[in-house]
Amino acid sequence: MSIERVLLVHNFYQMPGGEDRVFATEAEMLRQRGLQVSEYIMHNDRISTFSPLQMMQQTVWNSTVYYELRQRIQSLRPQVVHFHNTFPLVSPAGYYAAREEGVAVVQTLHNYRLLCVNAMFFREGAICESCLGKALPLEGVLRACYRGSHAASLAAVTTTAIHRMLGTWDRVIDRYIALSEFARSKFVEGGLPADKIWVKPNTIHPDYGVGTGGEYALYVGRLSAEKGVTTLLQAWQEHDGLPPLKIVGDGPEAALVAEAVERRPSIEWLGRQPKEEIARLMRGAKMLLLPSLVYENFPATLVEAYSSGLPIIASDIGSLRELVGSGTTGLLFAPGDPTGLATEVRRLAQNGPFRDAMGQQARDMFERQFSEDVNYNRLMMIYREAITASAQEKGCTGEPSGTAHERSE
């Protein structure tokens, strides 16, 4: 089955992040392979003008999106509509527009929005699974887990609950893409249909290429509590003998980073940087740091680091435990433990051959599992499965073989 036309749908965030980069990467990858790629895009800058009632209405069912997407599909006739982020403005109405036009629907699960009000399983500085598997997760509303707002949290809960009741998550989406086996297990635990969930990690386009290494440690990401920024800063402020630290990114904990820079000359904050500069920094670093306190799905920076032959020191939690081989492609430490992080940083920084061997294995893993060729072939397989499933819904023939989990291995 030849895939020629794809429509990609994405709701951009107010602050650019990994999901936005993945959307752009996959769009460019498909275009480079000769597919006709169209995009339907919305941006969260618009929500600042919404009243709570408008926010609720748009999040549950955006009728404008429904009609616009149907018209776009009628014009473009894509074989697949691939959704990335739909919250809050695209809404599940987008799925129904594609289904009404008889087009296969694929949804990448970039975060845990369908299972958790704040999409992270994180509350008050720790992992929280209170709402996992609940048809009506009211605790997330009571605790205002989304943006610290009861109204916004209610909109998120209402959307997932109504569409769970309508069978949207089970019936209307032909295939889901989870970014790791760990993430897949959480979605299955949360009630999504296991036979529809495939595992396809993120990739990078173009390949950064292996660097020569350097003398500094690198952090690239959002400056926020769940990313472990406090742990990172404490490691450098409380322990001597660590290499210089370069921090790339912005976010709510930027003031803490600025304060740490004043106290420790070895810490340098570079703010947001374009992709080309991030690639240069990756190629020139000694290690990448991922001190997250949350269940990461698949950080975009991880595949960027592996592409560069850069070993990773990461928190021993969630999918990071799966994606970073301790002693092979990197090292792991207990989440939230600055002393543990400092110990592993020092261990890697002081042993050049050990670090270089890890860097080579990181690059080898990239080529085997995360390269553009591997990713593209995997994505095409998922698209074909979705088209077959969609055809079956319309009474056509074609039977996919095996379970989704079996095919993901």
Side-chain angles (χ1 to χ4, degrees):
M1 182 192 301
S2 175
I3 311 296
E4 299 175 352
R5 301 176 306 282
V6 178
L7 175 59
L8 304 180
V9 180
H10 185 51
N11 192 144
F12 278 85
Y13 293 91
Q14 289 177 306
M15 180 172 289
E19 294 182 31
D20 301 331
R21 296 214 304 276
V22 172
F23 173 78
T25 294
E26 291 195 359
E28 182 62 21
M29 177 181 73
L30 293 174
R31 289 190 177 102
Q32 290 286 333
R33 303 290 175 134
L35 276 73
Q36 298 177 34
V37 178
S38 303
E39 298 178 5
Y40 182 87
I41 292 171
M42 304 196 80
H43 201 290
N44 274 358
D45 284 346
R46 294 175 53 190
I47 67 177
S48 60
T49 64
F50 289 176
S51 69
L53 179 58
Q54 286 175 313
M55 182 72 172
M56 176 80 74
Q57 292 172 333
Q58 297 281 314
T59 303
V60 174
W61 183 270
N62 191 327
S63 58
T64 299
V65 167
Y66 176 78
Y67 290 111
E68 286 183 352
L69 263 182
R70 288 196 64 179
Q71 291 173 358
R72 185 76 65 87
I73 292 168
Q74 290 167 10
S75 172
L76 300 170
R77 301 315 306 170
Q79 294 158 283
V80 176
V81 180
H82 183 173
F83 294 85
H84 285 263
N85 180 43
T86 63
F87 185 84
L89 297 177
V90 173
S91 85
Y95 306 139
Y96 285 89
R99 176 53 62 96
E100 189 67 23
E101 295 299 326
V103 182
V105 176
V106 174
Q107 170 67 63
T108 294
L109 298 165
H110 287 286
N111 56 51
Y112 298 104
R113 179 76 61 197
L114 299 184
L115 312 179
C116 170
V117 177
N118 68 20
M120 296 184 294
F121 290 127
F122 189 76
R123 179 168 59 84
E124 297 177 359
I127 293 295
C128 172
E129 297 187 2
S130 297
C131 295
L132 180 60
K134 293 183 179 177
L136 192 60
L138 291 178
E139 186 171 346
V141 178
L142 295 174
R143 296 183 179 275
C145 287
Y146 180 59
R147 294 179 176 268
S149 165
H150 292 95
S153 299
L154 180 61
V157 166
T158 302
T159 298
T160 54
I162 286 178
H163 286 281
R164 184 189 294 262
M165 181 181 65
L166 293 173
T168 302
W169 316 124
D170 294 329
R171 295 186 301 102
V172 183
I173 298 165
D174 297 300
R175 287 295 179 268
Y176 290 97
I177 296 175
L179 304 181
S180 65
E181 289 289 349
F182 176 85
R184 182 185 186 278
S185 71
K186 284 297 173 189
F187 286 112
V188 172
E189 185 180 351
L192 292 190
D195 61 333
K196 290 190 173 186
I197 308 175
W198 284 60
V199 174
K200 184 194 75 66
N202 292 328
T203 189
I204 183 174
H205 177 89
D207 182 347
Y208 280 3
V210 178
T212 57
E215 297 305 317
Y216 58 87
L218 179 65
Y219 172 86
V220 179
R222 181 170 164 79
L223 305 183
S224 55
E226 73 277 2
K227 295 296 185 179
V229 171
T230 299
T231 303
L232 177 68
L233 297 177
Q234 286 178 338
W236 258 259
Q237 290 175 315
E238 297 172 4
H239 298 274
D240 295 323
L242 301 183
L245 170 64
K246 294 181 184 291
I247 297 175
V248 176
D250 202 353
E253 296 203 332
L256 292 179
V257 175
E259 183 180 336
V261 169
E262 292 294 323
R263 294 180 178 180
R264 280 281 186 176
S266 61
I267 302 176
E268 182 181 6
W269 179 30
L270 303 174
R272 295 186 193 176
Q273 294 293 326
K275 182 178 179 179
E276 295 75 18
E277 179 61 12
I278 291 173
R280 188 190 70 79
L281 289 166
M282 290 268 186
R283 290 192 296 268
K286 184 179 287 289
M287 66 193 77
L288 180 76
L289 307 178
L290 286 173
S292 294
L293 303 179
V294 294
Y295 295 152
E296 296 278 3
N297 266 345
F298 190 106
T301 52
L302 184 144
V303 72
E304 292 168 352
Y306 282 174
S307 168
S308 307
L310 186 61
I312 295 173
I313 297 180
S315 299
D316 188 6
I317 186 173
S319 64
L320 294 179
R321 183 181 299 146
E322 167 191 338
L323 299 168
V324 178
S326 186
T328 56
T329 62
L331 297 169
L332 298 172
F333 69 98
D337 179 9
T339 299
L341 171 57
T343 298
E344 300 305 332
V345 168
R346 195 177 292 113
R347 178 184 173 194
L348 198 59
Q350 294 176 353
N351 190 331
F354 183 49
R355 181 266 173 211
D356 292 344
M358 281 191 180
Q360 181 60 58
Q361 292 182 84
R363 176 65 193 190
D364 291 345
M365 177 176 282
F366 169 78
E367 292 176 353
R368 290 194 314 271
Q369 298 184 29
F370 309 136
S371 70
E372 187 177 323
D373 285 342
V374 172
N375 196 274
Y376 174 79
N377 291 333
R378 187 73 180 158
L379 185 56
M380 290 302 101
M381 194 179 302
I382 294 169
Y383 283 173
R384 286 191 289 270
E385 282 280 329
I387 291 169
T388 300
S390 178
Q392 287 178 301
E393 282 287 322
K394 293 183 289 184
C396 299
T397 59
E399 184 70 29
S401 59
T403 68
H405 187 54
E406 288 168 348
R407 292 190 299 273
S408 73
E409 297 175 337

